[in-house]
Amino acid sequence: MESTLLKEPMTAEVLPTQQRNKVTVVPIEAMQEVEHLTDEVVKVEDEMEEIRSQHEHEPGPAFRLEIESNIGMLIFDVPNEKVNILSTPVMHELDRCLDEIKGHADLKALVFLSGKEGNFIAGARIEEIENITGPKDGAEKAGLGQGVFSKIAALPFPVIAVINGACVGGGLELALACHFRLAHDSEKTRLGLPEVRLGIIPGFGGTQRLPRLIGIQRALDFILTGKLVDATRAYKAGVVDRVIPKEFPHRRLRQIGLNFAQEIQNPEARRKIELRRNRANPQTLLFEKNLLGRKVLFDQARRRTLAETKGHYPAPELALEAVEKGFSKELAEGLKIEANLLGKAIVTNVSKNLVKVFYLTEIVKKDPGVENYAGPIHEFHKIGVLGAGIMGGGIAQLMAHNDLPARMKDVNLAAVAKGMEAAAKVFGEAVKKRRMKPKEMQNKMALISGATDYSGFKNADLVIEAIVEIIDVKKKVFAEIDAIVPSHCILASNTSSLPITEMAKATQRPGKFAGLHFFNPVHRMPLVEVIRGESTSDETIASLVAFAKKIGKTPIVVKDSPGFLVNRILGAYMAEAGRMLKEGATIEQIDEALLKFGMPMGPINLFDEVGLDVAAKVSHILENAFGSRMAGEGMMNKIVETGRLGKKNGKGFYIYEGKDKKIDPAIYGLIGKAGKFEGTAAEIQDRCVLPMINEAAMCLAEGIVRRPEDVDIGMIFGSGFPPFLGGLLRYADARGIDNIAGKLETLAGKYGERFKPAERLMEMKRAGKKFYA
């Protein structure tokens, strides 16, 4: 077949590469993953398949070569897609391109560019990762990708990657195969290897090329954490060779790449760049340049990794193994090691579950919060915050972080000052970690103001209440603010359990009243529950959902009901942990059993984190609403009366001294243990986890949320339910509804009616159904 690439050097003339079938791909943001199997998503997938078949034979090259002054410009631009994805057809096309480009003896350099503004390459196609079921297939897939990228590295002239926007996973691995890398200092530019977040390892050369480029320790910081960095931090780490100032628009990147390609024709210019990369530091000389030092380094990394993953996530350990075994060998041999270990990782249940979690997050991104909503979405530019405590200060900080002015109001200036301090502390941590410059912190803090009256609220677009959890006090405050803010303003309560519908009655705008429940700490917890009261309008819900996404949160819409979703399900979990304490179980037994299950902390530790006074109040609300299955049996009140509030005052079930904590033996005297506990770790896990599944089934039956995906999103991002299990209801499906219902029946016979399986669960058991179709 005659080549479609340029045979003669021409100036800025465009010719396509080999034609390929158009493939519709799903964009990836390379962070977290989850599966969608509801009717809505199946319908979307059917539509996507129809589009694929319609365009199956249409031309659609992803690459085009332009040559200017003997410099090749290879532009990657997958047609009709928002982002560039390294799907199998794209990789085959790139392979053909490189074969033909290699034949251009007149080329002095090749510049790799993206044709999409704000996106370089967003990694591999997730569906292809999901569909690999055998280790051999995974290794072969990795080997094919490695082969293509090795052709880039083997080209007989310099190859430069000009990065603008997301450059993650396979995108960064392609850039690492290039000889030089420039990165645009734009807000959208992020570089990293987030594969471990999908339960896999970098498989196109990342575990081999990155350590050879920037050193083992720095490379492991990328590979084992999956973190993403901006252009400046990538430059400091040695990943990129030059940062393109943000003032330069996307259209100028081509010329900048061309100029750089011409610049490095000078051997001295190239030598300076390589010297900067190779600058040694004492740690590098001590650890990385000798066998014994590397052994110490890898042993330390392994211990830290196990401490983080607790053995639940195999990918970081396999990635570490790939680096350790491959670093001292020739690159080609190291790549084979990487491919084989990728094959092991990609077929694990953990990887499949993390892919499902990714799909869950994609569903949320596309969900307006209201079925088939096509109405207006209101934007919020000025935010009022009622209450300047831990939550109020955290909410104000979040607004300022997103460049939104926030006006706090509290009863006195000392309280307002505490809210300002809480916001400053969060920004200060970012400065300390060099994620923000001091000047940026000053500018962000300038967006937060405070007062003891309602001055500054008359132009608010959204007011978020975060005051004391006493409904009469909240209603009084809402009645006051309702008379001050403009008619378009939406009022929202950050309550964790009090009724939204009741609070709305204190205002003249029940349709513009909703819950907006952030989780503590606000800047870290991704979930926001958007609570629909009886009179809340679709417009209000859709606007708050869009706003939550805009400020970087993951929203789920929840019906107004005691405890909403997450606290209600957690209530059953924590109530049972409290009962086991009274039965004679130790704090260690309970917390260690649930840590082993995969929870981020044990339920007794969680009591301290939440605050024992808060836990007591929520427990009363839930018990009044749902009866004995949520009963705290008075234990928490007795403990709170002694002045123990948990971590916030240094004393609860644990004693806190700085960053250290230890169980306080005196706490057992306040619990009133009934005897000797003889349950196993597995029984402790079942007694805590199965009631959560049971409660979730009731929530679905009552319409508290619309679908199983909302439950799993809520529990993963609101309570830390183990992502490697795919979510609470994914775990239930995997374990088997028969097993869950049968175990609950056994526990009910032994411990009482609170374990009686929900009717929804029994219906599913009889019909042989699962939560996910």
Side-chain angles (χ1 to χ4, degrees):
M1 182 182 291
E2 184 177 346
S3 171
T4 55
L5 285 177
L6 291 177
K7 294 300 183 184
E8 299 293 332
M10 300 177 68
T11 302
E13 183 171 341
V14 181
L15 286 176
T17 65
Q18 298 274 40
Q19 300 296 301
R20 71 175 185 90
N21 291 340
K22 178 185 172 187
V23 178
T24 303
V25 295
V26 179
I28 167 181
E29 304 268 340
M31 293 292 282
Q32 302 159 311
E33 311 215 355
V34 184
E35 182 171 2
H36 40 89
L37 292 172
T38 57
D39 292 339
E40 174 188 352
V41 178
V42 171
K43 179 182 176 184
V44 171
E45 288 288 57
D46 289 344
E47 291 172 356
M48 295 290 281
E49 187 57 40
E50 184 179 348
I51 293 171
R52 292 187 187 101
S53 61
Q54 286 174 354
H55 296 279
E56 185 177 356
H57 301 293
E58 289 186 13
F63 297 93
R64 68 178 186 271
L65 179 69
E66 302 175 6
I67 297 181
E68 185 173 346
S69 303
N70 287 350
I71 306 295
M73 317 294 287
L74 186 61
I75 300 166
F76 183 19
D77 190 357
V78 178
N80 305 317
E81 299 296 343
K82 293 180 181 179
V83 296
N84 290 322
I85 297 287
L86 294 172
S87 64
T88 296
V90 165
M91 292 295 283
H92 286 319
E93 183 182 345
L94 177 58
D95 190 43
R96 294 192 297 270
C97 289
L98 293 170
D99 286 341
E100 296 185 32
I101 288 170
K102 185 179 179 180
H104 281 270
D106 50 350
L107 284 184
K108 295 180 179 178
L110 179 70
V111 178
F112 201 106
L113 291 158
S114 169
K116 299 185 187 297
E117 185 170 356
N119 174 261
F120 183 66
I121 303 172
R125 188 176 179 186
I126 298 301
E127 293 93 328
E128 295 187 13
I129 296 172
E130 181 186 20
N131 292 334
I132 293 173
T133 57
K136 185 178 178 181
D137 291 342
E140 288 177 354
K141 193 90 169 179
L144 289 172
Q146 292 171 352
V148 175
F149 288 178
S150 290
K151 287 185 178 181
I152 295 173
L155 286 172
F157 38 74
V159 183
I160 303 107
V162 180
I163 299 163
N164 177 42
C167 175
V168 296
L172 181 56
E173 290 175 293
L174 182 148
L176 290 171
C178 298
H179 306 119
F180 301 92
R181 288 154 295 280
L182 316 182
H184 190 209
D185 188 22
S186 78
E187 291 183 358
K188 292 184 178 180
T189 297
R190 290 292 182 272
L191 299 91
L193 296 171
E195 284 88 347
V196 292
R197 298 182 184 182
L198 297 180
I200 60 175
I201 71 171
F204 288 176
T207 69
Q208 304 304 306
R209 287 195 172 92
L210 189 60
R212 287 166 169 79
L213 177 68
I214 66 174
I216 296 170
Q217 294 178 86
R218 288 180 176 177
L220 289 179
D221 190 35
F222 281 88
I223 294 167
L224 300 183
T225 66
K227 74 176 185 180
L228 306 181
V229 300
D230 59 21
T232 300
R233 293 181 72 192
Y235 175 77
K236 290 178 179 177
V239 178
V240 301
D241 300 304
R242 191 166 293 177
V243 175
I244 302 169
K246 64 179 67 177
E247 291 75 21
F248 288 96
H250 180 262
R251 66 178 182 275
R252 294 285 302 279
L253 299 185
R254 174 195 175 99
Q255 186 62 47
I256 290 169
L258 177 65
N259 293 345
F260 184 86
Q262 293 170 335
E263 175 190 337
I264 60 172
Q265 300 304 309
N266 183 337
E268 181 62 22
R270 194 182 306 188
R271 189 181 71 85
K272 286 182 179 179
I273 292 171
E274 291 171 350
L275 277 175
R276 189 190 80 85
R277 289 183 191 167
N278 297 331
R279 64 186 186 279
N281 58 60
Q283 275 190 321
T284 301
L285 292 173
L286 178 62
F287 288 106
E288 300 187 12
K289 298 299 183 182
N290 66 86
L291 185 62
L292 180 60
R294 288 199 297 271
K295 184 180 186 308
V296 172
L297 189 156
F298 284 118
D299 286 347
Q300 290 176 342
R302 189 167 286 105
R303 282 195 296 271
R304 286 195 300 269
T305 299
L306 284 172
E308 286 286 327
T309 67
K310 299 178 176 63
H312 295 304
Y313 296 86
E317 294 175 53
L318 291 171
L320 184 60
E321 183 180 348
V323 177
E324 184 175 17
K325 289 183 175 179
F327 186 78
S328 59
K329 294 180 170 59
E330 293 294 324
L331 179 61
E333 191 173 347
L335 291 173
K336 289 180 182 177
I337 291 169
E338 176 188 84
N340 287 330
L341 291 172
L342 180 278
K344 286 184 179 181
I346 205 167
V347 298
T348 61
N349 288 334
V350 170
S351 176
K352 301 310 180 188
N353 283 332
L354 292 177
V355 167
K356 291 178 174 70
V357 175
F358 171 79
Y359 284 138
L360 281 181
T361 63
E362 292 298 295
I363 289 174
V364 172
K365 288 173 187 175
K366 299 170 186 175
D367 179 23
V370 178
E371 298 296 334
N372 303 314
Y373 184 74
I377 300 291
H378 294 285
E379 293 190 357
F380 308 118
H381 302 288
K382 295 179 181 178
I383 314 299
V385 180
L386 300 175
I390 293 174
M391 293 303 295
I395 292 168
Q397 184 276 332
L398 178 65
M399 299 304 119
H401 177 74
N402 286 277
D403 297 320
L404 293 167
R407 179 73 163 179
M408 290 191 294
K409 189 263 181 190
D410 214 313
V411 293
N412 56 57
L413 290 176
V416 173
K418 285 186 177 180
M420 299 291 283
E421 288 172 10
K425 183 178 179 181
V426 175
F427 284 129
E429 288 174 358
V431 171
K432 187 177 180 180
K433 294 177 181 177
R434 298 184 179 180
R435 293 175 181 170
M436 179 180 286
K437 295 177 181 177
K439 181 62 177 175
E440 290 179 89
M441 175 179 170
Q442 291 177 9
N443 293 339
K444 300 285 188 185
M445 284 299 298
L447 292 169
I448 305 174
S449 60
T452 58
D453 57 23
Y454 292 111
S455 60
F457 280 76
K458 65 179 181 179
N459 294 318
D461 301 310
L462 170 66
V463 173
I464 304 169
E465 168 272 315
I467 63 174
V468 63
E469 287 283 270
I470 300 174
I471 193 163
D472 289 339
V473 176
K474 289 180 184 285
K475 289 173 71 173
K476 178 178 181 295
V477 168
F478 275 122
E480 292 171 354
I481 196 68
D482 183 48
I484 294 168
V485 296
S487 59
H488 71 270
C489 180
I490 288 176
L491 302 180
S493 174
N494 182 59
T495 182
S496 60
S497 54
L498 295 176
I500 295 301
T501 301
E502 183 64 24
M503 283 185 266
K505 292 176 181 177
T507 75
Q508 301 300 309
R509 62 184 82 203
K512 294 179 180 176
F513 194 104
L516 198 62
H517 179 211
F518 294 89
F519 289 73
N520 187 34
V522 176
H523 68 289
R524 288 182 183 166
M525 295 297 286
L527 187 73
V528 171
E529 289 179 314
V530 179
I531 314 300
R532 180 191 281 275
E534 290 179 5
S535 301
T536 309
S537 70
D538 287 352
E539 193 173 303
T540 295
I541 293 297
S543 297
L544 288 174
V545 166
F547 176 70
K549 294 175 188 176
K550 181 180 178 181
I551 59 176
K553 295 300 182 182
T554 301
I556 57 171
V557 178
V558 182
K559 178 182 174 182
D560 185 20
S561 176
F564 310 135
L565 177 75
V566 174
N567 281 344
R568 174 174 169 180
I569 293 175
L570 270 181
Y573 168 81
M574 296 174 77
E576 195 59 31
R579 289 190 192 96
M580 284 188 280
L581 273 181
K582 289 186 72 68
E583 290 173 19
T586 65
I587 294 169
E588 293 101 326
Q589 279 179 298
I590 297 170
D591 278 357
E592 287 176 12
L594 273 303
L595 283 171
K596 186 176 180 180
F597 178 80
M599 298 298 284
M601 67 177 65
I604 311 304
N605 191 357
L606 183 58
F607 275 125
D608 276 2
E609 288 287 333
V610 169
L612 303 188
D613 53 337
V614 174
K617 288 178 182 177
V618 173
S619 175
H620 288 310
I621 292 170
L622 295 177
E623 184 177 356
N624 289 337
F626 304 113
S628 62
R629 70 178 188 269
M630 298 286 186
E633 301 182 8
M635 177 183 71
M636 204 61 67
N637 286 339
K638 187 175 181 181
I639 295 173
V640 171
E641 287 170 4
T642 67
R644 293 172 183 260
L645 301 180
K647 188 176 180 179
K648 60 186 172 186
N649 77 339
K651 202 169 187 179
F653 290 97
Y654 291 81
I655 295 175
Y656 298 84
E657 296 175 354
K659 293 184 178 180
D660 297 324
K661 73 176 189 292
K662 61 182 180 180
I663 293 170
D664 183 4
I667 194 70
Y668 292 109
L670 302 174
I671 293 172
K673 290 164 62 170
K676 185 179 180 181
F677 183 79
E678 296 181 352
T680 63
E683 183 172 328
I684 291 171
Q685 292 167 2
D686 276 351
R687 286 184 62 179
C688 285
V689 174
L690 299 192
M692 288 200 289
I693 297 170
N694 211 28
E695 205 66 40
M698 296 181 206
C699 287
L700 287 171
E702 296 167 22
I704 302 302
V705 289
R706 293 171 290 161
R707 56 201 175 189
E709 287 88 344
D710 293 327
V711 173
D712 283 344
I713 281 283
M715 297 312 293
I716 290 171
F717 297 115
S719 77
F721 188 86
F724 70 85
L725 294 174
L728 180 65
L729 300 185
R730 284 281 178 200
Y731 167 73
D733 280 354
R735 182 164 168 174
I737 300 304
D738 276 359
N739 179 286
I740 299 291
K743 187 64 178 178
L744 282 168
E745 288 176 320
T746 299
L747 290 171
K750 188 174 181 180
Y751 296 107
E753 282 290 299
R754 66 181 182 271
F755 284 106
K756 181 181 177 181
E759 183 56 34
R760 170 67 69 91
L761 271 181
M762 297 307 293
E763 289 174 359
M764 292 167 64
K765 178 183 176 180
R766 289 190 290 268
K769 291 184 177 180
K770 297 183 175 183
F771 285 106
Y772 288 89

